Amino acid sequence: LFDWKNVTEASSTTHSITLSSLGWSKFFEDQLEPHEAGFTRHRIATVHRARLTAISQTGPVGLTLPVHSHTGHFAVGDWVLADPQTQLLYRRLNRKTVLERRIEGSKTPQLAGANINTLFIVTSCNADFNPARLERYLALANEAGTTPVTLLTKADTAPDAQTYQKQASALQRGLAVVILDPRSGDAAAALTPWCRDGQTVALVGSSGVGKSTLVNTLAGLTPERAQETGRIREHDGKGRHTTTSRSLHAIAGGGWVIDTPGMRSLRVSDAAFGIETLFAEITELAPHCRFRDCTHAHEPGCAVQKALAAGTLDPERLTRWRKLSEESSEHTAPRNSPFGNAGAGRNKKR
Ligand SMILES: Nc1nc2c(ncn2[C@@H]2O[C@H](COP(=O)(O)OP(=O)(O)OP(=O)(O)O)[C@@H](O)[C@H]2O)c(=O)[nH]1
Ligand SMILES: [Mg+2]
Ligand SMILES: [Zn+2]
């Protein structure tokens, strides 16, 4: 018994699914072995405990897993090869990008999605807005090789949406920040630069910020096929964790969108590159420090401390950079590293 809701919707809103409109590219083509020409190519649409659904050129398909294979090895957005007669999955192709997230208290990272071009980080113009949390998402997006874009929802409930936009824009150089109402058709038009044929976007953010509402608008889903959405709690503005699994949907104007469940917390690990990009103003100062392994805490000749004293560096950014770098390297640095685990930013000059 397959839940075809989103996969059938995907095929019905797309006149003809070509592999390239589904996101297929040379990167995947190059992975095919000569003997694999007979297999059909599928993009994973939903991942359940015991089954996978996918989209292929001919429409939605339920795939059969080979023995000893586990659905946990697959992410929404993955490309796989399958037998055209039996729909038996043959193998997964290497991912161009993969979004891994670590939940507090859990050792194994979750696969939030694969082969994503743009990560829409969704936050509301209310108590949900939190620069430190947005930075975690940005580090994650940078590390995964996806382009982050911040989406600000619920501007209609805030008197000063521009203030939120300004704050969000300051978090990373060149970051696009879009104010939109996910309930309105205008939202789709505002996102066309990223929602194009063959492109895949994913939505992440806290519960209740409007991710599924936006999916319904982008996909043009009729009420009976729509993603379920939930009202936020009156007393604290928190969402109710309405969405519980990830799914891929066709965007009416072209491209694909992955809906994800809202997250309570996000831990960052092994994201040195993502953090370097996020905190470019600190990354650029580091080569001017006297010591190659400067921690920017107390060393003489530290360019970062100098910028701090001169007022050209935001002290809160430095604090958050340190916290994130330490958290990231806690899960990365080898135990016998001469710098132990507190090596914030130390591998910068590798
Ligand atoms: N006023 C207002 N309400 C909005 C806006 N965007 C979304 N909502 C409402 O916020 C509620 C939560 O929306 P959802 O789309 O379910 O949120 P979600 O991010 O998918 O939440 P989870 O699935 O729990 O992670 C719904 O009642 C939406 O109608 C907005 O811009 N303004
Ligand atoms: Mg949802
Ligand atoms: Zn320094």
Side-chain angles (χ1 to χ4, degrees):
L1 270 178
F2 291 102
D3 169 17
W4 295 119
K5 195 178 66 168
N6 71 301
V7 269
T8 46
E9 187 63 38
S11 56
S12 64
T13 52
T14 311
H15 314 291
S16 63
I17 305 178
T18 62
L19 283 174
S20 71
S21 71
L22 244 182
W24 183 263
S25 66
K26 188 169 181 299
F27 177 84
F28 303 107
E29 188 75 39
D30 286 348
Q31 297 180 42
L32 298 182
E33 303 288 338
H35 75 274
E36 292 174 332
F39 288 107
T40 40
R41 302 150 210 196
H42 302 268
R43 195 125 191 237
I44 300 293
T46 63
V47 176
H48 301 278
R49 196 184 297 272
R51 62 198 170 82
L52 298 170
T53 67
I55 299 165
S56 72
Q57 273 175 295
T58 52
V61 191
L63 296 177
T64 309
L65 278 176
V67 274
H68 304 309
S69 187
H70 185 260
T71 62
H73 299 144
F74 298 90
V76 171
D78 267 337
W79 276 102
V80 298
L81 302 178
D83 184 297
Q85 263 79 51
T86 61
Q87 314 294 15
L88 181 68
L89 193 147
Y90 179 66
R91 75 171 175 110
R92 170 177 68 74
L93 299 180
N94 290 335
R95 297 158 176 150
K96 192 152 193 200
T97 65
V98 61
L99 204 65
E100 287 179 321
R101 62 190 196 182
R102 199 175 291 268
I103 306 299
E104 201 137 19
S106 141
K107 277 210 187 95
T108 44
Q110 282 188 350
L111 297 169
N115 303 314
I116 295 161
N117 302 99
T118 307
L119 189 69
F120 287 149
I121 301 166
V122 191
T123 181
S124 303
C125 299
N126 58 25
D128 180 68
F129 189 92
N130 178 326
R133 184 152 37 76
L134 290 174
E135 282 169 351
R136 286 170 181 269
Y137 282 115
L138 289 168
L140 185 79
N142 297 339
E143 187 69 30
T146 64
T147 305
V149 174
T150 301
L151 306 185
L152 294 176
T153 62
K154 309 202 180 181
D156 55 299
T157 64
D160 52 347
Q162 309 302 326
T163 319
Y164 288 97
Q165 185 171 36
K166 213 172 147 225
Q167 274 194 69
S169 304
L171 298 180
Q172 181 166 308
R173 262 181 218 166
L175 178 69
V177 179
V178 181
I179 299 179
L180 51 75
D181 186 335
R183 301 166 301 174
S184 146
D186 298 345
L191 300 179
T192 46
W194 302 281
C195 301
R196 286 176 285 114
D197 203 49
Q199 294 282 303
T200 304
V201 304
L203 297 166
V204 292
S206 315
S207 175
V209 294
K211 299 180 296 297
S212 300
T213 307
L214 184 58
V215 166
N216 292 337
T217 298
L218 289 174
L221 294 173
T222 52
E224 66 272 16
R225 301 177 115 165
Q227 282 287 90
E228 196 186 333
T229 61
R231 279 234 275 276
I232 60 173
R233 301 193 301 217
E234 290 291 334
H235 64 284
D236 61 2
K238 291 226 161 74
R240 298 158 190 268
H241 294 277
T242 308
T243 305
T244 54
S245 65
R246 292 163 266 277
S247 53
L248 182 71
H249 306 261
I251 299 172
W256 299 82
V257 58
I258 297 175
D259 193 9
T260 72
M263 271 184 295
R264 287 186 180 84
S265 67
L266 174 66
R267 307 288 293 171
V268 165
S269 65
D270 204 356
F273 169 78
I275 293 171
E276 278 179 29
T277 308
L278 168 61
F279 294 98
E281 77 273 32
I282 298 172
T283 308
E284 287 174 1
L285 286 169
H288 302 289
C289 295
R290 185 177 306 163
F291 300 107
R292 264 176 64 90
D293 61 348
C294 187
T295 65
H296 318 315
H298 46 68
E299 292 88 342
C302 172
V304 172
Q305 286 297 328
K306 201 174 148 205
L308 208 58
T312 54
L313 178 67
D314 178 357
E316 287 181 19
R317 285 276 285 180
L318 183 60
T319 305
R320 298 201 299 257
W321 165 81
R322 190 176 307 284
K323 186 154 186 279
L324 215 51
S325 303
E326 284 175 1
E327 182 179 315
S328 169
S329 56
E330 245 168 57
H331 300 276
T332 316
R335 290 246 174 272
N336 57 0
S337 149
F339 300 116
N341 278 341
R346 274 195 177 105
N347 28 18
K348 198 157 285 166
K349 291 162 199 166
R350 45 194 161 196

